Amino acid sequence: MRHMNRMNSIGADEDADVFEITDFTTASDWERFIARFEEIIHEWKLANRPPLPPAPKDEYSNGTWDERSEELQFADFKFKITHKFLKSCVVTTEGRTSEEKDSGQETDDIEDFDEKTPTVYSDLMNLDNDFPSRAHPLCRWYGLQEFLILSPAANNEIIDSESRSKLLLSSASIAVSNTSCSVPVFVQQSHNWRKLYCGTCVVPGANVEFEMVHLKKIPSQYDHLAGLIDVFKSKLGCVYISMPPVSVSVRFTYILSDWSCTAWPQAPPDLSSLMEDEVGCTDFGNLPFGACEDPVSDLHLSCTWPSLSEDMIVENHVYSDLDPLQAPQWSVRINMADDPLCLLGDYIREFLTLTERKETTDELLGNLVPEEGDNADLSQALQRLTEPSMPYAMPSIGSVVSTATTRLKIKPEEAPIASDMLNQILLFLFPDAKGPKCEGEDENEDEEVKEKTARYTDVLAELKKQMKTAPLDSLTHRLAVCFAIVNHNYGGLRAVAHLWQEFVLEMRFRWENNHFVSGVEKSQPNLGACLLHQKLQMLNCCIERKMKRESVGYGYGSECDNSDGASPDSPGDPFSRVSDKQDSSPAEGQVDQVNSERFGSIGSVSDDEFYDCDEDDDEDADGASVPKEKTKDRKNSRNRDSSEDRAKLEESIESASVASESSFKDSFSHKPEGRLAPFKNMKLLGSSEQMFVPITQEPSPMTEDMLEEHADVLSKLGSSQESTQLRARMQSACLLSDMESFKAANPGCILEDFVRWYSPRDYIEDEVETEDGKKEIKGCLSQRMQIPGNMWVEVWQSARPVPARRQRRLFDDTREAEKVLHWLSSMKPATVVFNLMPMLTHAAIVKVLDNEDADVPAVKTLVDQIVSKGAKLTRNPMADVRKYEHLVRLIEMAETLIARTVSLRSKFSEDLLEQRGAESELHHFVSCLHQHPEVTVRGGPCGPVGAIIHKLFVQSQKASYMLLDEDEEPTEEVEKDAHKPASTVPDFPRATAREYILRAMVPRPAPYSRVLPQKMFCVLVENDHFRLAGAFSSDTTFQ
């Protein structure tokens, strides 16, 4: 029994030993990490690659840098490895290597490969790129053109212990050694803002260790060059031998941030003007432009002493040879203010934010408009009953005056805009209320136009073609600019609603009193303009038609035609345009277009009067009785909305065709009416009487929303035969009116006579031979006119001899004007703002063009982009606020760029030049400041630009020490005071940043080791940090 227990215990011990066996053939996390590192190096083709050539001068600043990254894992911790490289050098070398492999020119001479200088050594000793203006910190400190960075994949993870960083660095060293990769590898330590790295690079027979020190304060013993050289020599560890002198490159940076001696970017406000204390605003028609604060933050002057021996310069805590006026190289960097407040962008953006508001005019102004008492003037009762219904309280039209002054009855103490200011705004919007313009104003405008460049003129012409807005001198343009200024300076949305109500009342006043809307063309709505401008053009058309109706013997002559934008080709031949249209034959669906072309050909005056047809007459012109039910239906249909236009038009056609064809077959019984002038020498075919051109109604102008509504009505009719006939009858209303006018002017005429005048190509004339052998010219209608059921024939048969002045109006100016006024008054303030945005952006682009600087290419590129974006946006029917916000952002960028240029030109003024003929160099220098991060000053402190920079620093120093500028005294007094000591105020302040690059070729680690390059970069920033970044090479063969 005891033996069995002993055996069991031995078996248990053996089983325990079996489970404790470790399988060393399984790869550990550390080994897998190294293997993955090697795979990435091979994937990126960094293994066994020949050395890269040294980077050209300034290639680190102006060249293109690229990067690629992969993730790898060490146990549960994820890392990211990033390869940063100078694209031009690396890609060129890879391409050359692949070409050599393809052509079979691979060398097998390994010794020759080893003798080539490794890339890391050539980068460390390259003097052409010591202080790059724009590069990665590792590139700036060590001068490397490619390197690998190993960092935690997550941003919130850091490597905070030295043991972890050394473990990663040793792992990376094994990977690059196994793959013969000579690219330096760095491990990022601590937080990202510290930019703290440690690294290694393995080359044949040697390696380079990259070490770094980062402190918050500068140690006093290392606050100068002498102390830094001692640190460098002690780190090399070979002070016991006579080492060559250390090569030193030094760069001091001085900051100029006091611009008190330069002009303010904006002119001071004119307290005597209407705008009073508003900065940048001079009147209601000019948008402000420029920055409210100086867009230039500070100027960094870098003075460089390249590649000096340590024996040539002395800098310690007592004395320094490094005088900025003795530096051979000067370079300037400008730091711009982040998003400075610019007036134009601020005004537009604040105006655009109103589109998000939902308040109505009644909510904004309803409590400010006093209600009329019970004892109001009863004489206005009928007028108030006939006024259109409005969503807000509107005063009676009889209470307004004839000049452009405030018309809205608001208590003065509660009004958003003061009464005096409001009257000035209205006088600006409607300058015709002032009287005739002074002659001097036109001359000044002409002089301003002459001064503009050819580019300015070309871009303005392109804007006019591409953007769907309004002319620059139009009322709509002035309205948009004025509203933006009022919104910014006089009360925001409530002020906008107040001014809009005044504008609507002014429009109604002008309609009621037959005053044209000034600043708007007296022509048909221009479909290339915005909808608001089209509505105002429509209102002008209504006023013009109304004035013609109310004037006896006026409205059908050359004045009418000219007002519509048409003029006869020849003053002596009123029918010159009629003869031109013989080359065209309109289809049935193009009747309105043919008619509109024909109206432009009339050029004489008639005594006939045009008036509305009395729809309440119970009898027609031929004596036929009209049923009372139809008369009642006509009365009821007059007040229906625009959705019933089709029914009204159909009803008018039906009412016109009540009489049968036989009732008008013999039209000799009526007296000719509505004749304008004889039509050439043509005779009527039926009676050989002279053919006369009739007085016809003018075509109905339409805005784009009316055209869309009309097209929508026609498209909803369907495609059946009845729908097609109904659609054709609706489109033939103008044709019916012209036929009735033609019949009234030419008794006894037939359809062929009408076609010969209206559409000459539809009347075909042939020469035929009679029985007597004589040749005669006979004509007939074209084939399409002879098709059974032709609309022209049906309309001709139903047409009655009614002159235009007794016909129902094709264009009801009263109804259309009320529709326009209702459209204007029913808009919310947010909708008004959105409708004004196209004109405001147009005005903003023109303002940018006015201030554009041709010497800055970036401004021109940005302006072209703004014009293209604005053209697409204004013509996009689906435009929204977000798209306008993007356009406003581009305008702000252009304004900021121009403001920076203006600020720099004011600081580097030509008045500060001491050398004549250096203006072009100064302009070139200012232009380069926009294009490059750092600009070299030609001639250093001895050049013309350097002299200006020196003056700016001297003025800043005197201001900081609160010293006044010394007046120039006579020569005698200067000689007397020559023995006095010079001013103790230095020309330059203490250097804000000091950078030192120390280089040496020293054997390391032993005196018998190979001579290898050593480098240390030192950065000393006042009251900020102290950094040492060293690259120390060691010989691994002869240690």
Side-chain angles (χ1 to χ4, degrees), residues 148-159:
L148 297 169
I149 299 178
L150 188 63
S151 60
N155 294 330
N156 57 350
E157 297 287 347
I158 60 173
I159 301 174

Side-chain angles (χ1 to χ4, degrees), residues 765-936:
E765 293 183 344
D766 293 328
E767 188 177 4
V768 297
E769 186 174 353
T770 61
E771 297 178 356
D772 302 338
K774 297 180 181 180
K775 295 183 178 180
E776 294 183 355
I777 297 178
K778 291 188 177 181
C780 63
L781 296 176
S782 61
Q783 294 183 358
R784 75 183 187 102
M785 290 292 182
Q786 298 179 10
I787 297 176
N790 183 272
M791 181 58 59
W792 285 51
V793 178
E794 295 180 0
V795 175
W796 177 263
Q797 292 174 354
S798 61
R800 300 172 298 169
V802 180
R805 61 188 177 88
R806 294 210 305 268
Q807 296 176 6
R808 165 181 283 186
R809 284 181 287 168
L810 294 177
F811 176 67
D812 191 345
D813 52 78
T814 304
R815 183 186 63 182
E816 296 300 331
E818 290 296 336
K819 287 171 62 177
V820 170
L821 294 173
H822 176 71
W823 183 82
L824 295 175
S825 61
S826 61
M827 282 195 297
K828 292 182 179 180
T831 309
V832 174
V833 170
F834 190 80
N835 279 281
L836 291 175
M837 279 304 299
M839 281 72 65
L840 188 60
T841 53
H842 189 180
I845 295 174
V846 174
K847 195 68 177 180
V848 172
L849 288 173
D850 289 337
N851 296 271
E852 181 184 8
D853 194 332
D855 295 334
V856 184
V859 177
K860 179 180 179 299
T861 304
L862 195 56
V863 168
D864 294 339
Q865 185 178 356
I866 293 173
V867 172
S868 176
K869 183 73 175 179
K872 294 179 181 179
L873 182 57
T874 54
R875 293 192 175 276
N876 185 6
M878 305 301 293
D880 55 7
V881 178
R882 288 179 296 177
K883 295 179 180 178
Y884 274 109
E885 288 178 351
H886 179 63
L887 180 61
V888 171
R889 182 56 184 163
L890 293 178
I891 294 174
E892 288 176 339
M893 293 171 60
E895 184 184 14
T896 302
L897 193 57
I898 295 174
R900 290 171 177 173
T901 304
V902 173
S903 179
L904 289 175
R905 293 204 185 281
S906 65
K907 291 172 176 55
F908 294 92
S909 173
E910 296 180 2
D911 299 335
L912 299 176
L913 284 175
E914 297 178 352
Q915 302 178 10
R916 296 182 178 179
E919 291 81 2
S920 59
E921 182 178 348
L922 181 61
H923 291 168
H924 177 71
F925 174 77
V926 174
S927 178
C928 290
L929 289 176
H930 289 284
Q931 305 174 34
H932 306 287
E934 189 170 296
V935 180
T936 302

Side-chain angles (χ1 to χ4, degrees), residues 371-656:
E371 298 180 359
E372 297 186 10
D374 299 334
N375 55 352
D377 188 3
L378 297 180
S379 61
Q380 303 295 329
L382 181 59
Q383 183 176 357
R384 291 182 59 83
L385 288 175
T386 57
E387 286 180 355
S389 60
M390 297 294 173
Y392 53 87
M394 177 181 289
S396 60
I397 300 302
S399 63
V400 299
V401 294
S402 60
T403 58
T405 57
T406 176
R407 308 186 190 286
L408 195 61
K409 293 182 178 180
I410 295 181
K411 300 176 182 178
E413 64 276 4
E414 298 180 358
I417 306 177
S419 178
D420 295 340
M421 181 62 67
L422 184 59
N423 290 335
Q424 293 295 335
I425 294 175
L426 293 176
L427 286 174
F428 164 75
L429 294 176
F430 304 100
D432 55 339
K434 300 179 184 178
K437 184 184 293 186
C438 300
E439 297 179 358
E441 296 180 6
D442 295 334
E443 295 177 358
N444 295 335
E445 292 177 1
D446 295 338
E447 291 178 359
E448 292 178 0
V449 173
K450 291 178 182 178
E451 294 177 358
K452 300 304 179 182
T453 60
R455 166 174 164 76
Y456 179 84
T457 307
D458 295 341
V459 175
L460 280 186
E462 289 298 321
L463 282 175
K464 185 177 180 181
K465 295 178 182 178
Q466 298 180 13
M467 295 191 69
K468 189 173 182 179
T469 58
L472 291 177
D473 57 346
S474 64
L475 170 64
T476 321
H477 178 86
R478 296 196 301 269
L479 196 66
V481 175
C482 184
F483 267 65
I485 295 176
V486 167
N487 169 67
H488 190 275
N489 300 332
Y490 298 104
L493 186 62
R494 295 181 71 252
V496 169
H498 185 190
L499 182 57
W500 180 250
Q501 294 304 91
E502 293 287 351
F503 177 80
V504 173
L505 289 175
E506 179 68 25
M507 294 298 99
R508 177 166 291 279
F509 170 79
R510 289 176 178 263
W511 159 249
E512 296 286 346
N513 294 273
N514 295 346
H515 294 312
F516 285 110
V517 180
S518 61
V520 179
E521 304 92 325
K522 302 173 185 177
S523 60
Q524 292 194 5
N526 179 16
L527 300 181
C530 65
L531 183 59
L532 179 59
H533 192 73
Q534 293 181 40
K535 292 294 184 180
L536 297 181
Q537 284 183 303
M538 173 65 77
L539 186 60
N540 256 356
C541 290
C542 296
I543 295 173
E544 184 182 19
R545 299 292 177 87
K546 178 185 176 184
M547 294 171 64
K548 290 178 182 179
R549 287 191 295 104
E550 296 175 353
S551 300
V552 179
Y554 176 80
Y556 301 103
S558 59
E559 296 177 357
C560 171
D561 300 326
N562 292 337
S563 65
D564 288 339
S567 59
D569 296 339
S570 174
D573 185 8
F575 308 104
S576 57
R577 291 285 299 276
V578 179
S579 60
D580 292 340
K581 59 186 178 67
Q582 295 182 4
D583 299 332
S584 61
S585 177
E588 293 182 9
Q590 298 175 338
V591 175
D592 293 342
Q593 181 179 356
V594 176
N595 194 26
S596 62
E597 294 178 357
R598 179 175 51 77
F599 281 124
S601 65
I602 308 302
S604 61
V605 180
S606 172
D607 294 333
D608 289 305
E609 179 185 358
F610 181 85
Y611 66 94
D612 289 335
C613 177
D614 190 359
E615 298 181 7
D616 297 334
D617 291 345
D618 294 338
E619 295 184 359
D620 287 348
D622 58 343
S625 177
V626 180
K628 294 183 178 180
E629 291 78 2
K630 179 171 289 188
T631 303
K632 183 177 181 180
D633 292 341
R634 287 182 181 178
K635 293 180 180 179
N636 294 333
S637 64
R638 182 178 181 124
N639 295 324
R640 294 177 185 173
D641 56 6
S642 59
S643 62
E644 299 179 356
D645 287 346
R646 182 186 66 178
K648 293 171 64 178
L649 191 55
E650 180 181 357
E651 182 184 0
S652 64
I653 297 175
E654 291 176 357
S655 62

Side-chain angles (χ1 to χ4, degrees), residues 966 969 972-984:
E966 296 178 0
E969 300 293 341
E972 298 180 358
E973 297 184 4
V974 173
E975 292 177 355
K976 293 179 181 179
D977 298 338
H979 65 278
K980 292 184 178 181
S983 175
T984 57

